[in-house]
Amino acid sequence: MDGTLLQPDARLSEETVRLLNKCISDCKLFTIATARTPATVSGILRDVEMRLPAIVMTGAAIWDKGTNTYSDLRYIDPLAVGQFVDLLHRKEFPIFLFTLVDNVINIYHVGSGLNNIEREFIEERINSPYKRFHVDLDGKESLPDTFDKTILCYGMQPTKESESVYRDALKIDNLRPQFYHDIYGPEIGIMEAFSPKATKAEAVIRMKERTGAKRVVVFGDNINDLPMFEIADVAVAVDNALPEVKAAADIVIGPNTENSVARFIYEFE
């Protein structure tokens, strides 16, 4: 969504909402695949008349906007989570740990202390009905009673430290670590961990089977969209996408700032 469907202020423009709703009313199958959780997706999609559930948390779950329920969950192996937490302790690397229990996301914090980005992350979401924080703003470590329902781990730390943890996490069985840069710029590395079965690409394949769609068109701008490009019938990159994403695309359209994705969906036959 970010950098693809959304404007720079992380919102859908009125034009994009209008075009998407027109496409949906004309029976085009539309959904989103995002790293975001429903805490922010719900507000972004508020005016979109969604008929399909959304792929959230990079494919770790499917979320139905109408019923606010999750399905098709891809939990991380608890043994792998324990090994990952041990690694984080050794590296003194703070990270948020997400569990999903009874349709509620619970957020814990591995490690002591919070940086400014982590504090902002909490403050922007702490009143969300979709998340329950078990994190003190003083940054004291908080862990769940069990790792059985861990669905993702998410950290925002300096690039050097994030990349180091990522390289070590690659050695843990039944864990899919991911490292990239996002809205925080090149100085901050995003370090995530999922189940190996939690990918946007696998979720899109399951969504195709679920809907009976004969063709899948995907849109992207960042590295984590490349696996979707590989399984898509048509892969579309926005003009502001990373060079390697544009190189992998079948079609390159205008930038996200020009409602390019919604216009393409509206015009594409």
Side-chain angles (χ1 to χ4, degrees), residues 94-224:
I95 205 168
F96 290 110
L97 189 151
F98 291 60
T99 68
L100 182 53
V101 182
D102 296 331
N103 278 308
V104 176
I105 293 173
N106 295 270
I107 302 179
Y108 300 85
H109 192 255
V110 180
S112 299
L114 295 170
N115 63 29
N116 289 335
I117 294 176
E118 289 176 309
R119 287 182 181 278
E120 290 175 6
F121 177 86
I122 295 172
E123 290 168 356
E124 290 174 0
R125 296 163 175 82
I126 198 166
N127 294 318
S128 169
Y130 301 97
K131 289 181 177 178
R132 184 177 300 147
F133 278 88
H134 304 265
V135 184
D136 293 327
L137 289 179
D138 63 5
K140 182 179 179 181
E141 179 170 88
S142 61
L143 296 176
D145 294 333
T146 173
F147 293 139
D148 289 352
K149 298 295 184 179
T150 305
I151 199 158
L152 73 94
C153 303
Y154 179 73
M156 303 156 284
Q157 299 296 329
T159 290
K160 183 178 180 180
E161 288 85 345
S162 297
E163 190 167 12
S164 176
V165 170
Y166 165 73
R167 286 196 299 267
D168 287 343
L170 287 170
K171 303 171 187 176
I172 299 175
D173 291 336
N174 298 317
L175 187 75
R176 184 177 71 82
Q178 190 166 274
F179 165 77
Y180 61 98
H181 294 103
D182 203 2
I183 59 174
Y184 304 110
E187 296 82 12
I188 298 295
I190 305 299
M191 170 65 217
E192 297 176 322
F194 301 89
S195 163
K197 298 179 180 179
T199 70
K200 287 183 181 180
E202 289 198 19
V204 168
I205 291 172
R206 295 193 297 272
M207 186 70 72
K208 180 179 181 181
E209 294 170 350
R210 178 175 181 167
T211 61
K214 295 181 172 60
R215 179 179 60 185
V216 173
V217 182
V218 303
F219 303 84
D221 73 304
N222 212 331
I223 296 297
N224 61 357

Side-chain angles (χ1 to χ4, degrees), residues 56-80:
V56 296
M57 295 181 278
T58 315
I62 303 296
W63 175 70
D64 190 298
K65 175 188 171 188
T67 61
N68 185 29
T69 55
Y70 295 87
S71 61
D72 204 17
L73 305 176
R74 295 294 187 264
Y75 290 116
I76 308 173
D77 180 274
L79 179 60

